[in-house]
Amino acid sequence: MRNGKTILLIVVLLCGCAWSGHAQRTITAKQDTVIPADSVVTAVLSAADSLPQPKVKLKEFKPDPNKALLYALVPGLGQIYNKKYWKLPLVYGAFMGCMYAITWNNKNYSDYSNAYFNIMEDYQKVLEGQQEGHTPYTGPWSESWTIFVPSGQESTYVSNTQFQENLKRRKDYFRRYRDLSIIITVGVYAITIIDAYVDAQLFDFDISPDLSMHWSPEVTPKTRYTPGSYGLNCSFKF
């Protein structure tokens, strides 16, 4: 009887151990199949990063010559459209210099022109006063020409033909250079327009400074009509 109880107790223990081992393996298997939430997010982000990213290709700037010509009608805008900003000081500096030359020459021309014509009018009054029966003309004199003579000597200079000719020459001198300054200004304006148009046309022209020389021996075989020769072949790349 005691042996039977002992055998039954051993069987129960063995069954309990077997069930415990099976339950533990089941829980371990279930735990292995559970994926943490952080791992899911990481996997999604990794998959997204591995996808090919679309490449945005920026359109290369190339100016339109017709638009450059249109913008160039306003001095400097053609160079701005072509993105050649370093030319702006040259353009505006040239225009400022031309405008200053026109203004300065025109002012001097106006002063000497008024002085010449006024002194000729005063001289005519003097000639009329010198006629028989007329009172000699002693003034007042026009201020436009008296500013060029010493004070108190107006009566002497009004009849001085050399002084009159000097006023006339100065008048013609400044008129000539005023007109020349206007012509130069028109030329500068035309150059800025041409520069903007040509620059837009040759915007992608290859101007690399690759200047090189290549040489190689040259052998000309002998023929029935020409003798054989030896020489050096040179070629320039620019």
Side-chain angles (χ1 to χ4, degrees):
M1 188 69 178
R2 181 176 297 177
N3 293 334
K5 290 181 179 181
T6 301
I7 294 172
L8 181 61
L9 180 60
I10 292 173
V11 171
V12 172
L13 292 175
L14 291 176
C15 290
C17 291
W19 180 83
S20 176
H22 175 71
Q24 186 176 2
R25 285 194 300 271
T26 304
I27 294 174
T28 303
K30 289 182 178 181
Q31 288 179 351
D32 293 340
T33 57
V34 176
I35 301 176
D38 293 341
S39 300
V40 175
V41 175
T42 304
V44 172
L45 293 178
S46 300
D49 292 338
S50 63
L51 293 176
Q53 298 296 328
K55 295 182 179 181
V56 180
K57 185 177 181 181
L58 298 178
K59 186 178 180 180
E60 184 179 357
F61 173 74
K62 183 179 180 181
D64 184 3
N66 295 327
K67 289 184 178 180
L69 183 63
L70 182 62
Y71 281 116
L73 296 178
V74 178
L77 286 187
Q79 285 70 28
I80 294 176
Y81 172 73
N82 292 335
K83 295 185 178 181
K84 296 300 178 63
Y85 306 109
W86 63 271
K87 294 183 179 180
L88 293 179
L90 301 178
V91 173
Y92 291 117
F95 272 103
M96 290 178 63
C98 291
M99 295 305 298
Y100 176 80
I102 293 174
T103 303
W104 188 75
N105 286 295
N106 185 66
K107 179 182 180 303
N108 284 279
Y109 165 72
S110 179
D111 293 341
Y112 281 101
S113 178
N114 292 333
Y116 174 72
F117 288 115
N118 289 335
I119 196 174
M120 296 307 296
E121 291 177 358
D122 291 344
Y123 179 60
Q124 186 64 31
K125 294 177 182 178
V126 171
L127 293 178
E128 292 176 355
Q130 291 176 353
Q131 295 179 1
E132 185 177 355
H134 290 79
T135 304
Y137 185 79
T138 58
W141 312 105
S142 298
E143 185 181 359
S144 59
W145 65 269
T146 56
I147 60 175
F148 297 104
V149 302
S151 179
Q153 300 185 22
E154 292 83 358
S155 300
T156 303
Y157 276 88
V158 71
S159 302
N160 190 330
T161 57
Q162 184 178 358
F163 177 68
Q164 295 171 2
E165 287 297 323
N166 288 337
L167 292 178
K168 184 177 183 299
R169 282 195 297 269
R170 299 295 291 177
K171 171 182 72 71
D172 295 339
Y173 173 85
F174 285 109
R175 180 184 62 184
R176 180 169 61 253
Y177 279 94
R178 180 203 60 181
D179 297 342
L180 181 60
S181 299
I182 294 174
I183 295 173
I184 293 176
T185 303
V186 174
V188 170
Y189 179 67
I191 289 174
T192 58
I193 295 176
I194 295 173
D195 172 75
Y197 180 78
V198 173
D199 196 10
Q201 284 280 9
L202 303 179
F203 187 81
D204 53 355
F205 183 74
D206 185 13
I207 55 174
S208 59
D210 184 11
L211 179 61
S212 57
M213 181 184 71
H214 301 277
W215 64 275
S216 60
E218 183 75 15
V219 178
T220 303
K222 182 180 179 181
T223 65
R224 295 177 57 186
Y225 302 101
T226 59
S229 62
Y230 301 91
L232 189 66
N233 183 23
C234 297
S235 61
F236 292 92
K237 181 180 180 181
F238 56 91

